[in-house]
Amino acid sequence: MFSGMGSFSTTNSESGQATAFTLTPSLDYFIFDHVFIGGGISYGGQISGVSNTSLSIGPEIGYAFGRQGSNAYPYLNAGWNYQSNASNSYERVITIGSGLSLGLGIIFPVKSHIGLALEGKFNTLGTSDSQFITNTVSLNFGIVGLLF
């Protein structure tokens, strides 16, 4: 299956407004009944007082529930991502790190081999120059091509 997921958020706080987006295409292949492997690329950006962009790539494995002809296909996935972040404030700062991602989603078929997806994702990111780990929770939506 191939998918194109995305998310968009805006946050208001005392320090100002921040707008963020993420685009994530991926390609997965079923190696056994219900079990898939694959990988994806993710590009994200944040615009506030500081401009921040990120690019990550990595493999994933997952399990899809349901049978061909079902009204919905829930799934679980886990992956490992290698990520590069570039931040522009007074000077350009680039950090590189890696982390684990865990997802829970559901695909709703709308036409033959085409579906709409909704996914909740948890990502961790640790960088080589920091002792801190960043955790992110996101809600993503997108279109999925089902090749079965």
Side-chain angles (χ1 to χ4, degrees):
M1 80 181 143
F2 60 93
S3 65
M5 303 286 276
S7 66
F8 177 81
S9 67
T10 183
T11 305
N12 290 312
S13 67
E14 292 178 7
S15 60
Q17 183 180 26
T19 303
F21 68 92
T22 305
L23 301 173
T24 308
S26 66
L27 181 63
D28 297 306
Y29 180 76
F30 284 91
I31 55 172
F32 304 113
D33 274 350
H34 305 284
V35 177
F36 60 87
I37 60 171
I41 297 173
S42 181
Y43 176 79
Q46 178 177 332
I47 302 166
S48 59
V50 175
S51 175
N52 184 28
T53 58
S54 65
L55 179 66
S56 67
I57 186 169
E60 70 177 1
I61 186 167
Y63 188 87
F65 301 89
R67 302 231 180 261
Q68 187 172 351
S70 295
N71 292 330
Y73 300 97
Y75 65 90
L76 300 168
N77 62 16
W80 189 260
N81 297 312
Y82 300 95
Q83 184 168 330
S84 172
N85 292 318
S87 180
N88 292 316
S89 55
Y90 298 107
E91 62 183 62
R92 186 171 174 85
V93 177
I94 297 177
T95 57
I96 296 175
S98 61
L100 176 68
S101 69
L102 301 171
L104 169 64
I106 189 163
I107 300 169
F108 299 100
V110 292
K111 287 192 162 235
S112 179
H113 304 292
I114 301 290
L116 296 176
L118 180 64
E119 177 184 66
K121 198 116 181 151
F122 173 77
N123 294 299
T124 65
L125 176 66
T127 60
S128 58
D129 63 343
S130 174
Q131 62 185 3
F132 300 106
I133 295 176
T134 303
N135 297 320
T136 306
V137 176
S138 63
L139 183 62
N140 306 302
F141 57 91
I143 296 175
V144 177
L146 305 169
L147 305 173
F148 53 73

